[in-house]
Amino acid sequence: MLPQARPQKLVVLTGAGMSAESGIETFRGAGGLWEGHRVEDVATPEAWSRNPDMVLRFYNERRRKLLAVEPNPGHRILAKWEKRMDVQIITQNVDDLHERAGSQRVLHLHGELMKSRSCGPKEHVMTMSDWEMKRTDRCPDGYPLRPHIVWFGESVPFMVHAFPIVEQADCVIVIGTSLQVYPAAQLAFEAGPGVPVILIDPNAEELAVPGARLLSMTASEGLEALDAHWFGA
Ligand code: OAD
């Protein structure tokens, strides 16, 4: 049973499945991004020290692909809801498809593909206008740049903001995440007592979130169903 009343404070947790219908690969499962790569070769600080060219190639390629795709109807529904109610998105995704659909309240736990960050002592974060990051690129202080991505083994600085946001929600929707990567996955279990949690994922039955209502559908299908339920669209 879906919650009848429209939420007052909706929190939406999104993972790679949110962007699958836009044509971006998920990470796990058949044909997933990690199937073609060893995580430790491309998504760790050690990989960056050992072979920065390989890391840059990996993220350049992902950026190039991102620039070639568009937000899907699911992204657009979330952006539309933000105009009608209090919606906060917390995403594990590094793409900018929520923003390109029009969502403004998006917390990126794992960084942002279209940003670069200084390797120097100051926290310079810069928005990129194109897909290519080069070894010779420098921050304003002359230090090398790295992708603005939280790699495996690094801390997730926005978790401290994310926990209270989820705890204050009166409805939580979890979309397209296998809930295998911590600490981000922990958020799916942090809703307050009695607060409805809705899982939208073709494999929703496999995700063990106690008491969650399951919509075993794609992100767009699930959000269209909820949109019709709450707004009669
Ligand atoms: P995963 O690839 O682990 O999980 C994707 C989820 O999306 C699975 O549960 C799929 O069933 C589901 N899915 C597939 N197609 C879908 C669709 N059309 N609509 C809705 N759901 C769909 O991705 P994440 O859980 O997001 O971190 O991965 C978490 C983190 O692991 C990523 O942020 C990344 C990765 O390693 C870093 O790189 C730090």
Side-chain angles (χ1 to χ4, degrees), residues 172-191:
V172 176
I173 307 179
V174 182
I175 306 174
T177 168
S178 60
L179 298 176
Q180 289 191 35
V181 174
Y182 279 76
Q186 185 61 36
L187 294 170
F189 304 91
E190 294 295 320

Side-chain angles (χ1 to χ4, degrees), residues 14-22 25-29 32-34 39 43 58-59 62 72 91-94 109-110 149-152 156 175-181 184 200-204 206-207 217-221:
T14 64
M18 181 76 225
S19 300
E21 290 162 279
S22 292
E25 295 156 301
T26 58
F27 291 95
R28 295 171 181 80
L33 190 61
W34 291 149
V39 172
F58 174 73
Y59 286 102
R62 296 191 58 201
N72 64 56
T91 188
Q92 294 173 72
N93 296 344
V94 297
L109 294 176
H110 290 164
I149 300 286
V150 174
W151 285 322
F152 285 90
V156 184
I175 306 174
T177 168
S178 60
L179 298 176
Q180 289 191 35
V181 174
I200 302 176
D201 193 303
N203 294 318
E206 290 169 21
L207 305 170
M217 306 173 180
T218 69
S220 293
E221 290 165 354

Side-chain angles (χ1 to χ4, degrees), residues 1-69:
M1 260 286 261
L2 293 172
Q4 204 53 47
R6 277 179 217 164
Q8 301 293 312
K9 259 188 177 310
L10 175 65
V11 171
V12 186
L13 307 176
T14 64
M18 181 76 225
S19 300
E21 290 162 279
S22 292
I24 296 190
E25 295 156 301
T26 58
F27 291 95
R28 295 171 181 80
L33 190 61
W34 291 149
E35 243 188 8
H37 298 90
R38 279 164 30 107
V39 172
E40 53 271 33
D41 286 342
V42 292
T44 61
E46 293 76 21
W48 178 242
S49 324
R50 211 171 37 236
N51 193 344
D53 285 327
M54 183 190 275
V55 174
L56 284 182
R57 255 198 319 276
F58 174 73
Y59 286 102
N60 280 344
E61 180 57 15
R62 296 191 58 201
R63 222 175 275 114
R64 208 178 51 76
K65 284 190 176 161
L66 174 57
L67 291 176
V69 303

